[in-house]
Amino acid sequence: VDTSDEIGDLAHTINTMAEKLEKVEQERHHLEQVRNDFLANVSHELRTPLTAIQGFLEALQDGLVEEEEARQKYYAVMYSETMQVNRLVDDLMDLMKLENNEVNLAKFPVNVGEVINKVAFSFRAEAEEKGLQIAVELADELPKIYADKDRVAQILKNFVKNAVKFTEKGEIRLIAESEDNWVRIQVVDTGIGIAADDLNRIWERFFKVDRGRSKNNKGTGLGLAIVKELVELHDGKWSVESSPGHGSTFTVWLPTITAIRQTS
Ligand code: ADP
């Protein structure tokens, strides 16, 4: 028996084990970091509206707001900040359930055109208030997709809500076309656009471009993270293209019913 060989083997085994332990430790550290970042983000997003509500309430309580008109303004701000807290909690719950695979989709053959028309209709008043047009462009004879209708509407609402929010003039187009075994849906705006460096990050939870200056952005920063999860649950694909100052195009591909029949 060659003992030097055995000792060499043993040393090798110990080294491999040490490396594995090191990896586990790194992974644990990473998960802890992710968890801490998440909690810091939730706290920040909750604290911003709560601080505003507290400040306005204190001013009212101390009798500092004498004019009835000013008082009404304070109430309005407090109301809208309360809504913001509610939106955040709703989005958070939704995202958590999606990420933990606790969402069952009710998938049926869906007429995409109907969903798009409904979503366009629900945003038309808000868009027109800003002087924006919403156009719907549907290809003839679009195949049906196999999807959860309400969730597809939710995906599109998130895109259109952003398009309206980040566009000052021009129009928002909702386009649907068939492409191989997919239906491709696009939301195209003529808004502020997104810089190349931020383009990948917008799908991360809580990411908002230019956070400092986006105090007026009443979003939660969770919309696109939710979209990503929903598209994945539909076995779909997503992408975004943007040209700062000119506009953005958000695209999703959802499988048609024939694509589903072929794979199952
Ligand atoms: P939010 O609730 O802030 O809208 P989202 O996850 O929906 O959160 O979007 C993340 C960020 O991506 C937004 O805060 C914004 O900076 C950027 N963004 C999303 N859609 C658009 C768009 N159509 N035009 C310009 N910027 C956009």
Side-chain angles (χ1 to χ4, degrees):
V1 181
D2 186 342
T3 48
S4 71
D5 252 16
E6 278 181 0
I7 290 170
D9 283 353
L10 193 62
H12 180 72
T13 312
I14 289 171
N15 266 337
T16 321
M17 273 168 67
E19 274 166 23
K20 274 188 189 150
L21 271 175
E22 173 87 352
K23 273 209 187 105
V24 169
E25 177 59 22
Q26 276 170 2
E27 177 71 1
R28 197 190 59 77
H29 184 76
H30 174 71
L31 284 177
E32 199 169 298
Q33 190 74 41
V34 169
R35 185 172 157 274
N36 288 346
D37 287 352
F38 177 74
L39 287 176
N41 275 318
V42 174
S43 309
H44 172 83
E45 292 295 329
L46 281 173
R47 190 165 285 142
T48 309
L50 287 176
T51 305
I53 295 169
Q54 189 180 348
F56 284 108
L57 262 179
E58 279 169 6
L60 286 165
Q61 256 181 340
D62 294 347
L64 295 175
V65 199
E66 284 167 12
E67 304 269 317
E68 178 58 22
E69 206 176 314
R71 258 201 301 272
Q72 290 304 326
K73 266 191 199 147
Y74 275 43
Y75 290 137
V77 176
M78 281 160 51
Y79 185 80
S80 104
E81 295 295 334
T82 311
M83 298 276 285
Q84 174 68 6
V85 175
N86 263 324
R87 268 196 300 270
L88 185 72
V89 173
D90 284 346
D91 277 1
L92 259 180
M93 291 305 292
D94 207 18
L95 184 60
M96 290 301 98
K97 282 188 191 145
L98 285 164
E99 286 186 353
N100 294 334
N101 285 325
E102 289 168 17
V103 172
N104 284 321
L105 294 188
K107 287 187 187 171
F108 294 101
V110 170
N111 180 335
V112 177
E114 271 174 28
V115 181
I116 292 182
N117 276 319
K118 273 196 192 144
V119 172
F121 181 80
S122 69
F123 280 96
R124 205 151 264 146
E126 192 183 327
E128 275 169 10
E129 235 170 71
K130 287 183 83 178
L132 300 171
Q133 299 292 320
I134 296 191
V136 173
E137 301 166 24
L138 305 173
D140 293 335
E141 294 175 30
L142 268 179
K144 286 194 173 174
I145 58 169
Y146 190 62
D148 184 325
K149 199 167 61 185
D150 295 338
R151 294 301 198 162
V152 175
Q154 188 183 359
I155 294 170
L156 297 181
K157 277 182 189 166
N158 273 314
F159 286 156
V160 178
K161 189 175 61 192
N162 283 337
V164 173
K165 190 159 62 177
F166 297 108
T167 304
E168 290 313 320
K169 60 171 193 273
E171 61 169 0
I172 292 153
R173 296 159 65 209
L174 277 65
I175 306 169
E177 276 168 313
S178 77
E179 187 184 294
D180 303 325
N181 279 332
W182 307 96
V183 169
R184 187 183 66 206
I185 310 173
Q186 293 183 300
V187 177
V188 185
D189 70 50
T190 51
I192 60 171
I194 302 156
D197 283 349
D198 295 323
L199 224 41
N200 286 322
R201 302 206 56 200
I202 58 171
W203 306 92
E204 291 171 17
R205 49 197 191 191
F206 295 114
F207 183 81
K208 296 181 192 171
V209 174
D210 211 358
R211 189 180 273 277
R213 269 190 282 161
S214 63
K215 286 235 167 62
N216 293 330
N217 174 358
K218 284 288 174 215
T220 61
L222 296 175
L224 293 177
I226 292 173
V227 164
K228 202 175 94 173
E229 295 291 329
L230 285 174
V231 175
E232 274 174 6
L233 277 179
H234 280 94
D235 301 311
K237 306 184 285 185
W238 68 90
S239 85
V240 57
E241 282 166 29
S242 190
S243 158
H246 293 101
S248 313
T249 298
F250 285 83
T251 308
V252 290
W253 289 262
L254 297 171
T256 63
I257 43 175
T258 32
I260 299 296
R261 275 198 209 108
Q262 280 166 8
T263 54
S264 59

